[in-house]
Amino acid sequence: MTDTLNRPPVVSRISDLIGYTPLFELAGADNGARLLLKLEMFNPTGSAKIRMARQMIDDAEARGELREGGHIIESTSGNTGLGLAVVAAERGYRFTAVVDHHAAADKLRGMKAMGTELVYVDADGDGDELHTAAREELAEDMARGKDNTFFTEQHNNPSNAVGYHDVGREIAQALDNRVDILIGAVGTGGGLCGSARELKKTVPGLTVIGVEPKGSTAFGPPAHDYYQSGTGTPEGATIGLLVDYDLIDEGAKVGDVEAFATARAVARHCGLLIGGSAGGVVHEALARLPHLAPDSVMVAFINDGGEKYMDSVFNDDWMNARDLLDPLVEAEVEETLTKLRRN
C-alpha cells in the first residue's frame, strides 16, 4: 500500500498525488457540533475512487495476475474508470471500460482522453437507464480465459476497501482522533466501509452512517430508478461483498430531488461544487447536525466534485426535463446552511 501520509514534496507519477485531501467545515450547531467535509475531489481525477483503482492494480501486480503489457477491464459509471485510466496510462496497460450512457459525459470524455477503450452496453444511447448488471456481465465475459487480462470487479474486490484505509488514517491524523460520526454514500461499500474499518482502530466508538439513493436496495426496498450516478445498488444488481453491515450502524435514503438540490445550494452558498450523490450525503448530514450531542464532530465523505455534472445536476434544462428541479427544496437547504454555516 502506498503511504499517502508520508508523500514526498516532488513526485514522478500522477497516482503519487493521491491523498492528503482537506477537511472543510461546512456547518456548526449552537451546541458546538460540527460538520466537516472530507473533500476527495482534490485527488487526481477529482474523485476518491482513484484510491481504490490504484490499490486494485497494485495487488493484482503483486499476485502476478497483471504483468507488463497487460489488459485491465472494468464495469464503471465513470469515477472508477477515470482512476484506472490514470494507472493504466502511467504503467503502460491497455484499459477497457464497460460503460452505459447513464455516466456523466465528462467522465466518459476524460477516460477516452487518457486512451481508454469505451464499450457501451446500451448502444441505443438511453442516458436515463442504469445497466449495472449488464455491464458487469459483459466485463466478466470479456476477461474470461484471456491471458494477462484482469477484470478488476470493483464491487467484490477486497482491494477496493483496502484502498480507502488511508482515508481513515488521514481523518484520524487531522483531527487527533476526535471524531464521532462518519457518514458517506454506499455504492460498492468500499469507500465508507474501508475508511470506517481503519478509523475504528483508533476511534472504537465511531458511529458509521451509510447513505444511498431512494430506489437503491442496500438498505431495503422499494426499488426504483434513480439518477444519482456512481452510488447505490440499482434494481437487478447484487449488493457488493464490500458492504459490511457489521460496520454500518445506520442506513439512510435520500431522494434525487433532495440530493441535487443540496449540491446546487452548497455551490451557491459557499462556492463549493460537489457531486450529486455527495449532495445526498450532505443533505442527510445537515438534517442530523442540530440533533447531535454537544461538541460532536461529524465527518462526511465527499466522493467527488461537481465539475463533471455541469450537463446534469447543474443544468436547469436537464433537471427540468426529469422533474428534478425544485427551487423550494433548494431554498430550504440554503436556509439551513444560513442557520448552521459558520463564517
Side-chain angles (χ1 to χ4, degrees):
M1 181 191 305
T2 303
D3 185 1
T4 62
L5 301 181
N6 293 292
R7 186 174 65 203
V10 177
V11 301
S12 58
R13 299 192 302 184
I14 292 299
S15 64
D16 291 334
L17 296 171
I18 296 169
Y20 289 107
T21 55
L23 286 164
F24 171 70
E25 184 164 351
L26 178 68
D30 290 339
N31 66 358
R34 305 161 69 199
L35 171 59
L36 311 181
L37 309 185
K38 179 67 168 165
L39 298 180
E40 287 293 289
M41 72 277 281
F42 284 88
N43 283 305
T45 73
S47 167
K49 291 193 175 183
I50 193 172
R51 293 182 185 261
M52 62 89 153
R54 179 181 60 181
Q55 191 68 48
M56 291 191 297
I57 300 308
D58 283 348
D59 292 348
E61 291 173 341
R63 294 191 301 266
E65 295 181 49
L66 194 58
R67 305 177 302 282
E68 184 177 351
H71 185 188
I72 302 166
I73 299 176
E74 178 57 288
S75 160
T76 175
S77 61
N79 279 330
T80 299
L82 285 167
L84 287 169
V86 169
V87 178
E90 66 184 15
R91 301 189 191 185
Y93 295 125
R94 176 187 170 199
F95 174 44
T96 299
V98 180
V99 299
D100 56 43
H101 286 86
H102 186 268
D106 279 349
K107 295 179 184 179
L108 301 175
R109 295 182 190 120
M111 283 187 279
K112 192 171 182 180
M114 287 184 278
T116 301
E117 175 192 17
L118 302 180
V119 175
Y120 289 86
V121 294
D122 55 338
D124 60 354
D126 180 1
D128 288 345
E129 186 176 351
L130 277 164
H131 296 269
T132 306
R135 289 198 328 250
E136 293 286 321
E137 183 178 353
L138 178 56
E140 185 175 11
D141 287 345
M142 290 176 65
R144 186 178 293 113
K146 294 184 179 178
D147 182 54
N148 202 15
T149 300
F150 182 58
F151 172 34
T152 46
E153 197 179 3
Q154 60 175 311
H155 283 82
N156 297 308
N157 189 331
S159 300
N160 177 339
V162 175
Y164 292 105
H165 285 182
D166 276 344
V167 176
R169 296 190 190 105
E170 290 170 21
I171 293 171
Q173 183 185 66
L175 299 176
D176 196 23
N177 296 318
R178 288 193 285 267
V179 55
D180 302 283
I181 299 167
L182 178 66
I183 182 170
V186 174
T188 67
L192 181 63
C193 295
S195 303
R197 185 176 298 280
E198 192 66 20
L199 188 53
K200 280 197 171 188
K201 290 180 179 179
T202 54
V203 188
L206 181 75
T207 296
V208 180
I209 301 170
V211 180
E212 68 174 346
K214 288 182 179 179
S216 175
T217 61
F219 300 126
H224 56 75
D225 292 341
Y226 56 86
Y227 289 96
Q228 295 172 62
S229 65
T231 188
T233 305
E235 188 173 12
T238 302
I239 296 171
L241 296 178
L242 304 175
V243 179
D244 189 340
Y245 293 103
D246 289 335
L247 275 176
I248 301 173
D249 297 290
E250 188 176 347
K253 294 176 181 281
V254 177
D256 290 333
V257 170
E258 291 76 17
F260 296 166
T262 302
R264 291 163 63 97
V266 167
R268 283 197 301 271
H269 199 81
C270 57
L272 177 66
L273 289 169
I274 62 175
S277 64
V281 173
V282 172
H283 187 274
E284 184 66 23
L286 287 172
R288 292 170 180 264
L289 183 61
H291 310 291
L292 299 184
D295 300 319
S296 295
V297 176
M298 175 165 51
V299 174
F301 188 108
I302 302 303
N303 181 71
D304 69 351
E307 291 84 355
K308 303 184 189 82
Y309 305 96
M310 292 297 112
D311 292 332
S312 55
V313 176
F314 297 99
N315 182 319
D316 287 1
D317 292 337
W318 186 93
M319 292 280 287
N320 270 319
R322 292 154 181 81
D323 295 323
L324 296 172
L325 191 63
D326 194 326
L328 290 178
V329 177
E330 290 184 34
E332 289 171 1
V333 175
E334 287 203 66
E335 183 179 358
T336 298
L337 285 168
T338 299
K339 290 179 179 177
L340 297 175
R341 175 100 172 110
R342 287 181 174 173
N343 297 317

